[in-house]
Amino acid sequence: MHFFGLSPDEIEAVRLSVRVAFWAMLWSLPFGLATAMVLARGRFLGKSLLDGFVHLPLVMPPVVTGYLLLLLFGHNGPLGRFFAAFGIVFAFRWTGAALAAAVTAFPLMVRAMRLSLEAVDRRLEEAAGTLGAGRIFVFLLVTLPLTMPGIVAGMVLSFARSLGEFGATITFVSNIPGETQTIPLAIYSLTQTPGGDSAALRLTAVSVILSLLALIASEFLARQIGRRVSGD
Amino acid sequence: MLEVDIEHRLGAFALDVRFASGRGLTALFGRSGAGKTSVVNAIAGLVRPRRGHIAVDGAVLLDTERGVCLPAHRRKIGYVFQEGRLFPHLTVRQNLLFGRWFAPRAPGAAARFDHVVELLGIGPLLMRRPGRLSGGEKQRVAIGRALLANPRLLLMDEPLASLDGARKDEILPYLERLRDASEVPIVYVSHAAAEVARLATTIVLLADGRVQAVGPVADIMGRAGQYPLAGGFEAGAVLAVTVAAHDRHWDLTELAGGFGRLVVPRLDLPVGSALRVRIRARDVILATDRPSGISALNVLAGIVEALAPIGDEALEVQLGLGPERLLARITRRSGDALGLAVGRPVFALIKTVAIDRRSLGRGGAAADFGEELEVFDG
């Protein structure tokens, strides 16, 4: 099959990239929302410490993040051994690429959700309480819908950042075609190969198109949801 | 029956409030900063007082001595906020039905929904979203939303404060209907004397975090010298009347009350309708002899019951007109010239045209305040 004139290997890289980014986004969603909730609403000692910790992947060199993941989630890492007991292996697998992408994109996701949560009018939650809604229902029926623009923005940011993940991925799970070689890694390999320029260019075009599509989709969703949430 | 007895401290402000109220509409009346909103927030469970006891119809909502403090969502207290607080992501219909998610399914719920929608005139708005409603429409929906959660008590915190004059006039009749037609007692916070005079069954006068007076609307509004307590409000007595006759030739209406008759501009109401009339103290002229050759159509005979100085130059005179009370505001000089003293018979003159539409409200429970009004004791 020649889609955009891509070779089977290149198509595999595109599919892998989308798969890695999608699962990275989905798995970090509940953790991102919980963290955003704690940071937006919680009042406890060490909150700024948690805030700093969450933002760490944003400021650390991705290679450092990848190396730390390797130490923790590698074959001999403590968490790696823990998950291996449940049959979940990250090292040199696409799941590891998804984990690396999720970790590096996490601060962006949390930030978008937190801002949106902080913008929710607490007085509306109070009003819901006087109408008989307990805390869980207030969250599900008022807080969550009003935070939706931020949640969508956070998901799109996470997805887009995951598509572009390079440093942490190559350090943690290496560059294995068909398993961990996502578009950026494939482009990198091609630029290191004599005569790989045209293939690199094709993948670059795909990458640009994917990024644009993600942006357009997020704009569209944000506008739809924004209209609903503003009450017009 | 609502019983409130709370103490609370907010910075330098101390709240110490104790009152009981019954059916109809109880107005928490006083200037801003008197503690009115803190009281309703404590009733709703949004503020937890340091010490206190709050019960509605025997159900204890708060008892600090026994460590009882029901969370807001289990109190069944409806709350209409000053700014409406409608959920922007839901339609009007979904807003109205919000409380039903958490209430046990009651028989006749659908009929009740239709009834409330009809009562508040919000039928045409049901599919709209709150962002597209006017201020008055928002408040009506907010009232309906609170009512449809089946509350045992409805709190309203200055629901008209953010509306202009025309919007207020649009909502007031709905509030009167609510007071008269619904069995849910209402606690209504306001600093506007005209609003309170028109709506209240009972008034709880608050100043500096304390209850200054509690009683039926006509009693409190007709008392001289309340002006400084409630903070510069436009003093005026409230009289309970019924429409007695219409004078088509002169376009006037005659109202009858315990004090005699009152002629006002023509009203479009059937004979026998119960009304309340607010007569501002500054619209009343006093005379010691029955005057003749004057334009004022209303001359009522009464007896001076009390005198209270207002500022340096004025006096508030409380008159007994049979069972009713009237307030007049005159200068100290006039009081001196007329030799006014408690027990002295006088005539009160009221210009017919001084009584406009805004002075009139539906009678409702204004006249039949009853036994449940004594200050809660215990």
Side-chain angles (χ1 to χ4, degrees):
Chain A
M1 191 181 85
H2 284 272
F3 174 71
F4 273 105
L6 295 176
S7 74
D9 282 355
E10 290 155 25
I11 288 173
E12 184 55 34
V14 172
R15 286 178 53 186
L16 186 66
S17 276
V18 173
R19 177 154 51 136
V20 163
F22 176 77
W23 287 108
M25 172 192 81
L26 210 64
W27 273 106
S28 47
L29 180 59
F31 300 102
L33 192 57
T35 308
M37 196 69 188
V38 166
L39 288 177
R41 296 286 172 84
R43 258 182 291 167
F44 56 92
L45 208 69
K47 181 170 154 178
S48 50
L49 209 66
L50 175 68
D51 196 20
F53 183 74
V54 167
H55 279 89
L56 216 50
L58 199 62
V59 288
M60 265 191 331
V63 175
V64 173
T65 307
Y67 188 60
L68 285 172
L69 286 173
L70 187 62
L71 291 179
L72 286 169
F73 289 90
H75 281 306
N76 296 318
L79 288 168
R81 260 181 276 159
F82 173 78
F83 281 106
F86 300 97
I88 301 168
V89 177
F90 292 105
F92 307 111
R93 299 279 176 84
W94 75 270
T95 46
L99 178 63
V103 169
T104 48
F106 197 66
L108 294 174
M109 177 181 256
V110 169
R111 196 174 181 79
M113 291 178 180
R114 178 186 179 171
L115 287 176
S116 192
L117 269 171
E118 282 170 349
V120 170
D121 189 346
R122 301 296 298 267
R123 296 174 309 169
L124 291 175
E125 299 178 352
E126 235 175 39
T130 66
L131 292 166
R135 283 175 71 172
I136 291 167
F137 281 109
V138 169
F139 179 74
L140 290 177
L141 296 175
V142 179
T143 318
L144 202 57
L146 291 176
T147 315
M148 214 32 105
I151 293 175
V152 169
M155 286 168 71
V156 171
L157 276 172
S158 164
F159 184 80
R161 174 70 182 80
S162 297
L163 278 181
E165 218 309 296
F166 179 82
T169 310
I170 203 164
T171 315
F172 179 30
V173 291
S174 184
N175 187 356
I176 307 164
E179 188 66 43
T180 65
Q181 194 180 69
T182 55
I183 297 176
L185 274 68
I187 293 175
Y188 169 73
S189 294
L190 287 167
T191 57
Q192 304 296 306
T193 318
D197 290 348
S198 60
L201 209 58
R202 283 198 297 276
L203 280 178
T204 302
V206 172
S207 191
V208 168
I209 289 167
L210 272 178
S211 307
L212 274 177
L213 281 179
L215 278 178
I216 289 167
S218 85
E219 267 305 301
F220 176 75
L221 278 173
R223 202 170 309 148
Q224 287 289 326
I225 294 167
R227 198 177 298 154
R228 300 204 66 186
V229 169
S230 72
D232 283 350
Chain B
M1 176 85 168
L2 166 70
E3 298 159 28
V4 175
D5 175 9
I6 51 172
E7 269 173 47
H8 195 54
R9 189 167 274 284
L10 288 163
F13 179 75
L15 189 72
D16 184 357
V17 168
R18 214 157 100 117
F19 68 91
S21 71
R23 266 173 300 141
L25 188 146
T26 303
L28 292 185
F29 179 45
R31 70 178 90 190
S32 359
K36 307 184 295 289
T37 299
S38 299
V39 173
V40 286
N41 281 344
I43 298 172
L46 303 180
V47 161
R48 187 181 182 154
R50 268 198 184 177
R51 188 205 65 74
H53 178 93
I54 298 173
V56 179
D57 293 330
V60 176
L61 306 181
L62 174 84
D63 189 335
T64 46
E65 260 151 55
R66 286 194 288 145
V68 177
C69 183
L70 280 188
H73 69 276
R74 288 179 47 209
R75 292 197 175 193
K76 297 193 70 163
I77 304 284
Y79 201 142
V80 179
F81 299 90
Q82 191 173 335
E83 343 74 74
R85 301 197 192 180
L86 298 180
F87 302 122
H89 56 298
L90 303 177
T91 62
V92 166
R93 184 188 191 86
Q94 290 166 329
N95 264 283
L96 289 170
L97 292 174
F98 192 89
R100 204 181 280 178
W101 286 68
F102 318 104
R105 218 160 263 299
R112 187 170 156 73
F113 180 82
D114 295 340
H115 174 71
V116 168
V117 166
E118 214 269 321
L119 182 79
L120 296 166
I122 47 182
L125 313 176
L126 289 178
M127 300 322 286
R128 307 249 292 267
R129 284 184 182 277
R132 294 271 169 89
L133 301 181
S134 75
E137 288 168 338
K138 276 183 193 159
Q139 280 308 11
R140 268 147 62 198
V141 174
I143 293 167
R145 182 179 71 171
L147 271 180
L148 285 167
N150 281 325
R152 359 183 200 218
L153 180 75
L154 193 57
L155 305 173
M156 298 194 184
D157 185 9
E158 308 246 14
L160 306 184
S162 56
L163 307 178
D164 59 39
R167 298 279 152 246
K168 279 184 189 154
D169 291 344
E170 168 199 324
I171 303 232
L172 280 164
Y174 291 108
L175 293 176
E176 288 175 330
R177 280 169 80 178
L178 200 63
R179 174 195 67 201
D180 300 339
S182 153
E183 64 286 10
V184 184
I186 301 169
V187 173
Y188 188 98
V189 166
S190 180
H191 66 271
E195 226 171 278
V196 169
R198 184 162 166 182
L199 295 174
T201 312
T202 310
I203 293 180
V204 176
L205 187 63
L206 278 182
D208 301 323
R210 281 165 192 281
V211 174
Q212 307 293 340
V214 183
V217 59
D219 185 15
I220 301 288
M221 284 302 195
R223 223 180 261 180
Q226 303 282 38
Y227 169 91
L229 286 178
F233 72 81
E234 172 79 88
V238 175
L239 302 174
V241 295
T242 51
V243 175
H246 295 295
D247 177 347
R248 281 172 217 290
H249 185 247
W250 297 110
D251 265 332
L252 298 172
T253 292
E254 203 169 301
L255 306 173
F259 53 87
R261 299 229 157 180
L262 195 65
V263 177
V264 301
R266 174 81 183 276
L267 300 173
D268 253 344
L269 291 167
V271 170
S273 309
L275 293 175
R276 53 171 76 179
V277 187
R278 174 162 186 261
I279 296 172
R280 289 176 300 189
R282 66 172 153 109
D283 290 335
V284 179
I285 297 171
L286 295 183
T288 44
D289 303 308
R290 181 176 278 278
S292 61
I294 52 161
S295 66
L297 290 176
N298 300 300
V299 179
L300 304 172
I303 290 168
V304 176
E305 286 184 345
L307 295 157
I310 300 294
D312 290 332
E313 76 293 349
L315 268 182
E316 220 163 70
V317 184
Q318 174 184 324
L319 301 181
L321 307 173
E324 307 277 351
R325 275 188 192 157
L326 195 64
L327 279 186
R329 175 181 255 193
I330 58 172
T331 56
R332 272 201 307 128
R333 179 175 140 179
S334 304
D336 196 50
L338 295 177
L340 292 187
V342 172
R344 170 144 201 177
V346 289
F347 294 92
L349 283 65
I350 305 158
K351 282 166 70 89
T352 290
V353 292
I355 302 167
D356 58 13
R357 286 215 118 295
R358 288 197 182 164
S359 318
L360 294 156
R362 283 172 40 143
D368 49 73
F369 34 79
E371 56 292 312
E372 68 261 25
L373 295 166
E374 65 272 21
V375 175
F376 163 55
D377 201 299

mmCIF file of all heavy atoms in Angstrom, chain B residues 162-196:
data_model
loop_
_atom_site.group_PDB
_atom_site.id
_atom_site.type_symbol
_atom_site.label_atom_id
_atom_site.label_comp_id
_atom_site.label_asym_id
_atom_site.label_seq_id
_atom_site.Cartn_x
_atom_site.Cartn_y
_atom_site.Cartn_z
ATOM 1 N N SER B 162 -29.634 43.091 42.055
ATOM 2 C CA SER B 162 -28.865 43.344 40.840
ATOM 3 C C SER B 162 -29.755 43.750 39.664
ATOM 4 O O SER B 162 -29.287 43.845 38.544
ATOM 5 C CB SER B 162 -28.060 42.093 40.476
ATOM 6 O OG SER B 162 -28.935 40.998 40.343
ATOM 7 N N LEU B 163 -31.039 44.002 39.927
ATOM 8 C CA LEU B 163 -31.968 44.317 38.835
ATOM 9 C C LEU B 163 -32.344 45.801 38.857
ATOM 10 O O LEU B 163 -32.366 46.428 39.907
ATOM 11 C CB LEU B 163 -33.239 43.475 38.971
ATOM 12 C CG LEU B 163 -33.038 41.974 39.100
ATOM 13 C CD1 LEU B 163 -34.371 41.282 39.284
ATOM 14 C CD2 LEU B 163 -32.320 41.426 37.879
ATOM 15 N N ASP B 164 -32.686 46.329 37.677
ATOM 16 C CA ASP B 164 -33.129 47.719 37.641
ATOM 17 C C ASP B 164 -34.608 47.800 38.013
ATOM 18 O O ASP B 164 -35.278 46.786 38.198
ATOM 19 C CB ASP B 164 -32.858 48.336 36.264
ATOM 20 C CG ASP B 164 -33.568 47.588 35.149
ATOM 21 O OD1 ASP B 164 -34.718 47.161 35.366
ATOM 22 O OD2 ASP B 164 -32.982 47.428 34.078
ATOM 23 N N GLY B 165 -35.116 49.019 38.128
ATOM 24 C CA GLY B 165 -36.473 49.238 38.616
ATOM 25 C C GLY B 165 -37.541 48.453 37.868
ATOM 26 O O GLY B 165 -38.406 47.824 38.477
ATOM 27 N N ALA B 166 -37.458 48.467 36.542
ATOM 28 C CA ALA B 166 -38.488 47.795 35.747
ATOM 29 C C ALA B 166 -38.455 46.290 35.978
ATOM 30 O O ALA B 166 -39.490 45.635 36.074
ATOM 31 C CB ALA B 166 -38.274 48.103 34.267
ATOM 32 N N ARG B 167 -37.235 45.729 36.084
ATOM 33 C CA ARG B 167 -37.098 44.282 36.316
ATOM 34 C C ARG B 167 -37.619 43.916 37.707
ATOM 35 O O ARG B 167 -38.182 42.852 37.901
ATOM 36 C CB ARG B 167 -35.640 43.852 36.195
ATOM 37 C CG ARG B 167 -35.044 44.064 34.855
ATOM 38 C CD ARG B 167 -35.422 42.954 33.878
ATOM 39 N NE ARG B 167 -35.413 43.482 32.547
ATOM 40 C CZ ARG B 167 -36.489 43.613 31.766
ATOM 41 N NH1 ARG B 167 -37.664 43.211 32.173
ATOM 42 N NH2 ARG B 167 -36.402 44.135 30.570
ATOM 43 N N LYS B 168 -37.380 44.792 38.669
ATOM 44 C CA LYS B 168 -37.892 44.539 40.017
ATOM 45 C C LYS B 168 -39.410 44.449 39.972
ATOM 46 O O LYS B 168 -40.005 43.541 40.547
ATOM 47 C CB LYS B 168 -37.486 45.670 40.964
ATOM 48 C CG LYS B 168 -36.087 45.521 41.472
ATOM 49 C CD LYS B 168 -35.744 46.592 42.482
ATOM 50 C CE LYS B 168 -34.267 46.501 42.766
ATOM 51 N NZ LYS B 168 -33.643 47.695 43.202
ATOM 52 N N ASP B 169 -40.026 45.415 39.289
ATOM 53 C CA ASP B 169 -41.485 45.413 39.211
ATOM 54 C C ASP B 169 -41.993 44.160 38.517
ATOM 55 O O ASP B 169 -43.106 43.704 38.772
ATOM 56 C CB ASP B 169 -41.973 46.660 38.455
ATOM 57 C CG ASP B 169 -41.725 47.920 39.267
ATOM 58 O OD1 ASP B 169 -41.480 47.792 40.480
ATOM 59 O OD2 ASP B 169 -41.750 49.018 38.690
ATOM 60 N N GLU B 170 -41.156 43.610 37.632
ATOM 61 C CA GLU B 170 -41.545 42.398 36.912
ATOM 62 C C GLU B 170 -41.563 41.199 37.873
ATOM 63 O O GLU B 170 -42.416 40.326 37.778
ATOM 64 C CB GLU B 170 -40.541 42.170 35.771
ATOM 65 C CG GLU B 170 -40.625 40.815 35.094
ATOM 66 C CD GLU B 170 -39.335 40.491 34.331
ATOM 67 O OE1 GLU B 170 -38.731 41.414 33.750
ATOM 68 O OE2 GLU B 170 -38.940 39.312 34.339
ATOM 69 N N ILE B 171 -40.617 41.159 38.805
ATOM 70 C CA ILE B 171 -40.487 39.988 39.690
ATOM 71 C C ILE B 171 -41.372 40.062 40.916
ATOM 72 O O ILE B 171 -41.846 39.047 41.418
ATOM 73 C CB ILE B 171 -39.029 39.839 40.147
ATOM 74 C CG1 ILE B 171 -38.155 39.737 38.926
ATOM 75 C CG2 ILE B 171 -38.871 38.633 41.045
ATOM 76 C CD1 ILE B 171 -37.256 38.594 38.911
ATOM 77 N N LEU B 172 -41.581 41.272 41.447
ATOM 78 C CA LEU B 172 -42.311 41.398 42.710
ATOM 79 C C LEU B 172 -43.650 40.650 42.728
ATOM 80 O O LEU B 172 -43.947 39.956 43.697
ATOM 81 C CB LEU B 172 -42.488 42.873 43.067
ATOM 82 C CG LEU B 172 -41.241 43.512 43.704
ATOM 83 C CD1 LEU B 172 -41.329 45.024 43.679
ATOM 84 C CD2 LEU B 172 -41.039 43.002 45.117
ATOM 85 N N PRO B 173 -44.462 40.749 41.679
ATOM 86 C CA PRO B 173 -45.731 40.011 41.715
ATOM 87 C C PRO B 173 -45.528 38.502 41.852
ATOM 88 O O PRO B 173 -46.315 37.823 42.524
ATOM 89 C CB PRO B 173 -46.380 40.340 40.367
ATOM 90 C CG PRO B 173 -45.727 41.592 39.914
ATOM 91 C CD PRO B 173 -44.346 41.576 40.467
ATOM 92 N N TYR B 174 -44.451 37.971 41.233
ATOM 93 C CA TYR B 174 -44.186 36.539 41.360
ATOM 94 C C TYR B 174 -43.842 36.184 42.802
ATOM 95 O O TYR B 174 -44.234 35.137 43.318
ATOM 96 C CB TYR B 174 -43.045 36.117 40.434
ATOM 97 C CG TYR B 174 -43.412 36.192 38.974
ATOM 98 C CD1 TYR B 174 -42.884 37.183 38.166
ATOM 99 C CD2 TYR B 174 -44.301 35.288 38.413
ATOM 100 C CE1 TYR B 174 -43.216 37.264 36.825
ATOM 101 C CE2 TYR B 174 -44.648 35.358 37.081
ATOM 102 C CZ TYR B 174 -44.102 36.352 36.285
ATOM 103 O OH TYR B 174 -44.435 36.435 34.970
ATOM 104 N N LEU B 175 -43.076 37.062 43.438
ATOM 105 C CA LEU B 175 -42.714 36.802 44.838
ATOM 106 C C LEU B 175 -43.949 36.850 45.724
ATOM 107 O O LEU B 175 -44.084 36.050 46.654
ATOM 108 C CB LEU B 175 -41.671 37.818 45.313
ATOM 109 C CG LEU B 175 -40.302 37.700 44.634
ATOM 110 C CD1 LEU B 175 -39.374 38.811 45.092
ATOM 111 C CD2 LEU B 175 -39.682 36.345 44.930
ATOM 112 N N GLU B 176 -44.866 37.768 45.422
ATOM 113 C CA GLU B 176 -46.111 37.831 46.194
ATOM 114 C C GLU B 176 -46.925 36.552 46.012
ATOM 115 O O GLU B 176 -47.458 35.999 46.974
ATOM 116 C CB GLU B 176 -46.940 39.043 45.760
ATOM 117 C CG GLU B 176 -46.353 40.350 46.228
ATOM 118 C CD GLU B 176 -47.131 41.551 45.688
ATOM 119 O OE1 GLU B 176 -47.709 41.474 44.587
ATOM 120 O OE2 GLU B 176 -47.157 42.575 46.380
ATOM 121 N N ARG B 177 -46.976 36.091 44.772
ATOM 122 C CA ARG B 177 -47.719 34.849 44.513
ATOM 123 C C ARG B 177 -47.091 33.685 45.245
ATOM 124 O O ARG B 177 -47.778 32.824 45.796
ATOM 125 C CB ARG B 177 -47.716 34.547 43.012
ATOM 126 C CG ARG B 177 -48.738 35.351 42.245
ATOM 127 C CD ARG B 177 -48.511 35.209 40.778
ATOM 128 N NE ARG B 177 -49.042 33.957 40.230
ATOM 129 C CZ ARG B 177 -48.977 33.654 38.932
ATOM 130 N NH1 ARG B 177 -48.418 34.494 38.093
ATOM 131 N NH2 ARG B 177 -49.478 32.526 38.493
ATOM 132 N N LEU B 178 -45.763 33.670 45.240
ATOM 133 C CA LEU B 178 -45.032 32.602 45.912
ATOM 134 C C LEU B 178 -45.343 32.605 47.402
ATOM 135 O O LEU B 178 -45.607 31.567 48.011
ATOM 136 C CB LEU B 178 -43.545 32.849 45.693
ATOM 137 C CG LEU B 178 -42.617 31.688 45.885
ATOM 138 C CD1 LEU B 178 -42.949 30.614 44.875
ATOM 139 C CD2 LEU B 178 -41.182 32.151 45.669
ATOM 140 N N ARG B 179 -45.324 33.797 47.989
ATOM 141 C CA ARG B 179 -45.592 33.935 49.419
ATOM 142 C C ARG B 179 -47.006 33.442 49.741
ATOM 143 O O ARG B 179 -47.221 32.744 50.733
ATOM 144 C CB ARG B 179 -45.453 35.413 49.802
ATOM 145 C CG ARG B 179 -45.835 35.729 51.239
ATOM 146 C CD ARG B 179 -46.030 37.226 51.416
ATOM 147 N NE ARG B 179 -47.207 37.679 50.670
ATOM 148 C CZ ARG B 179 -47.413 38.941 50.300
ATOM 149 N NH1 ARG B 179 -46.536 39.866 50.588
ATOM 150 N NH2 ARG B 179 -48.501 39.275 49.632
ATOM 151 N N ASP B 180 -47.960 33.782 48.864
ATOM 152 C CA ASP B 180 -49.359 33.477 49.166
ATOM 153 C C ASP B 180 -49.785 32.079 48.729
ATOM 154 O O ASP B 180 -50.668 31.484 49.330
ATOM 155 C CB ASP B 180 -50.275 34.513 48.494
ATOM 156 C CG ASP B 180 -49.971 35.913 48.981
ATOM 157 O OD1 ASP B 180 -49.378 36.036 50.073
ATOM 158 O OD2 ASP B 180 -50.293 36.870 48.275
ATOM 159 N N ALA B 181 -49.159 31.565 47.653
ATOM 160 C CA ALA B 181 -49.653 30.308 47.081
ATOM 161 C C ALA B 181 -48.843 29.098 47.508
ATOM 162 O O ALA B 181 -49.326 27.974 47.466
ATOM 163 C CB ALA B 181 -49.639 30.401 45.550
ATOM 164 N N SER B 182 -47.604 29.304 47.925
ATOM 165 C CA SER B 182 -46.757 28.158 48.228
ATOM 166 C C SER B 182 -46.731 27.922 49.728
ATOM 167 O O SER B 182 -46.818 28.850 50.517
ATOM 168 C CB SER B 182 -45.346 28.423 47.696
ATOM 169 O OG SER B 182 -44.406 27.714 48.436
ATOM 170 N N GLU B 183 -46.604 26.659 50.084
ATOM 171 C CA GLU B 183 -46.610 26.338 51.510
ATOM 172 C C GLU B 183 -45.201 26.415 52.109
ATOM 173 O O GLU B 183 -45.015 26.239 53.299
ATOM 174 C CB GLU B 183 -47.229 24.952 51.749
ATOM 175 C CG GLU B 183 -46.481 23.779 51.170
ATOM 176 C CD GLU B 183 -46.603 23.666 49.643
ATOM 177 O OE1 GLU B 183 -47.124 24.604 48.979
ATOM 178 O OE2 GLU B 183 -46.153 22.654 49.102
ATOM 179 N N VAL B 184 -44.210 26.691 51.235
ATOM 180 C CA VAL B 184 -42.831 26.762 51.715
ATOM 181 C C VAL B 184 -42.577 28.134 52.344
ATOM 182 O O VAL B 184 -42.770 29.159 51.700
ATOM 183 C CB VAL B 184 -41.839 26.559 50.548
ATOM 184 C CG1 VAL B 184 -40.414 26.538 51.056
ATOM 185 C CG2 VAL B 184 -42.170 25.299 49.791
ATOM 186 N N PRO B 185 -42.159 28.176 53.616
ATOM 187 C CA PRO B 185 -41.833 29.470 54.207
ATOM 188 C C PRO B 185 -40.588 30.074 53.547
ATOM 189 O O PRO B 185 -39.725 29.340 53.071
ATOM 190 C CB PRO B 185 -41.567 29.152 55.685
ATOM 191 C CG PRO B 185 -41.476 27.683 55.793
ATOM 192 C CD PRO B 185 -41.965 27.056 54.541
ATOM 193 N N ILE B 186 -40.526 31.381 53.533
ATOM 194 C CA ILE B 186 -39.430 32.069 52.849
ATOM 195 C C ILE B 186 -38.700 32.974 53.834
ATOM 196 O O ILE B 186 -39.333 33.655 54.636
ATOM 197 C CB ILE B 186 -39.979 32.937 51.688
ATOM 198 C CG1 ILE B 186 -40.742 32.058 50.692
ATOM 199 C CG2 ILE B 186 -38.868 33.708 51.003
ATOM 200 C CD1 ILE B 186 -41.529 32.848 49.660
ATOM 201 N N VAL B 187 -37.379 32.952 53.782
ATOM 202 C CA VAL B 187 -36.580 33.938 54.516
ATOM 203 C C VAL B 187 -35.930 34.825 53.471
ATOM 204 O O VAL B 187 -35.225 34.342 52.587
ATOM 205 C CB VAL B 187 -35.512 33.274 55.403
ATOM 206 C CG1 VAL B 187 -34.598 34.326 55.999
ATOM 207 C CG2 VAL B 187 -36.171 32.461 56.498
ATOM 208 N N TYR B 188 -36.208 36.101 53.555
ATOM 209 C CA TYR B 188 -35.865 37.027 52.484
ATOM 210 C C TYR B 188 -34.955 38.127 53.014
ATOM 211 O O TYR B 188 -35.342 38.870 53.911
ATOM 212 C CB TYR B 188 -37.175 37.623 51.959
ATOM 213 C CG TYR B 188 -37.073 38.473 50.732
ATOM 214 C CD1 TYR B 188 -37.360 37.950 49.482
ATOM 215 C CD2 TYR B 188 -36.725 39.818 50.821
ATOM 216 C CE1 TYR B 188 -37.285 38.737 48.347
ATOM 217 C CE2 TYR B 188 -36.650 40.604 49.684
ATOM 218 C CZ TYR B 188 -36.924 40.052 48.449
ATOM 219 O OH TYR B 188 -36.860 40.827 47.333
ATOM 220 N N VAL B 189 -33.748 38.203 52.470
ATOM 221 C CA VAL B 189 -32.787 39.220 52.920
ATOM 222 C C VAL B 189 -32.927 40.468 52.054
ATOM 223 O O VAL B 189 -32.953 40.365 50.828
ATOM 224 C CB VAL B 189 -31.346 38.684 52.799
ATOM 225 C CG1 VAL B 189 -30.341 39.817 52.919
ATOM 226 C CG2 VAL B 189 -31.094 37.621 53.839
ATOM 227 N N SER B 190 -33.052 41.621 52.696
ATOM 228 C CA SER B 190 -33.130 42.842 51.906
ATOM 229 C C SER B 190 -32.759 44.062 52.740
ATOM 230 O O SER B 190 -32.909 44.065 53.950
ATOM 231 C CB SER B 190 -34.542 43.032 51.362
ATOM 232 O OG SER B 190 -34.598 44.212 50.594
ATOM 233 N N HIS B 191 -32.239 45.077 52.057
ATOM 234 C CA HIS B 191 -32.014 46.348 52.738
ATOM 235 C C HIS B 191 -32.962 47.411 52.188
ATOM 236 O O HIS B 191 -32.876 48.563 52.549
ATOM 237 C CB HIS B 191 -30.557 46.792 52.576
ATOM 238 C CG HIS B 191 -30.196 47.132 51.167
ATOM 239 N ND1 HIS B 191 -29.725 46.200 50.270
ATOM 240 C CD2 HIS B 191 -30.278 48.285 50.495
ATOM 241 C CE1 HIS B 191 -29.527 46.787 49.109
ATOM 242 N NE2 HIS B 191 -29.856 48.042 49.209
ATOM 243 N N ALA B 192 -33.860 47.010 51.290
ATOM 244 C CA ALA B 192 -34.773 47.961 50.650
ATOM 245 C C ALA B 192 -36.119 47.962 51.373
ATOM 246 O O ALA B 192 -36.845 46.975 51.357
ATOM 247 C CB ALA B 192 -34.957 47.590 49.183
ATOM 248 N N ALA B 193 -36.439 49.103 51.999
ATOM 249 C CA ALA B 193 -37.653 49.191 52.811
ATOM 250 C C ALA B 193 -38.909 48.944 51.984
ATOM 251 O O ALA B 193 -39.830 48.247 52.423
ATOM 252 C CB ALA B 193 -37.725 50.556 53.488
ATOM 253 N N ALA B 194 -38.946 49.491 50.767
ATOM 254 C CA ALA B 194 -40.157 49.366 49.958
ATOM 255 C C ALA B 194 -40.435 47.901 49.640
ATOM 256 O O ALA B 194 -41.583 47.433 49.697
ATOM 257 C CB ALA B 194 -40.009 50.174 48.674
ATOM 258 N N GLU B 195 -39.359 47.163 49.313
ATOM 259 C CA GLU B 195 -39.479 45.741 48.997
ATOM 260 C C GLU B 195 -40.007 44.961 50.205
ATOM 261 O O GLU B 195 -40.909 44.143 50.097
ATOM 262 C CB GLU B 195 -38.066 45.253 48.704
ATOM 263 C CG GLU B 195 -37.882 44.405 47.499
ATOM 264 C CD GLU B 195 -36.381 44.226 47.276
ATOM 265 O OE1 GLU B 195 -35.781 45.153 46.693
ATOM 266 O OE2 GLU B 195 -35.825 43.208 47.708
ATOM 267 N N VAL B 196 -39.403 45.235 51.352
ATOM 268 C CA VAL B 196 -39.775 44.533 52.578
ATOM 269 C C VAL B 196 -41.219 44.863 52.954
ATOM 270 O O VAL B 196 -41.995 43.978 53.314
ATOM 271 C CB VAL B 196 -38.798 44.913 53.714
ATOM 272 C CG1 VAL B 196 -39.309 44.413 55.050
ATOM 273 C CG2 VAL B 196 -37.428 44.345 53.419
#
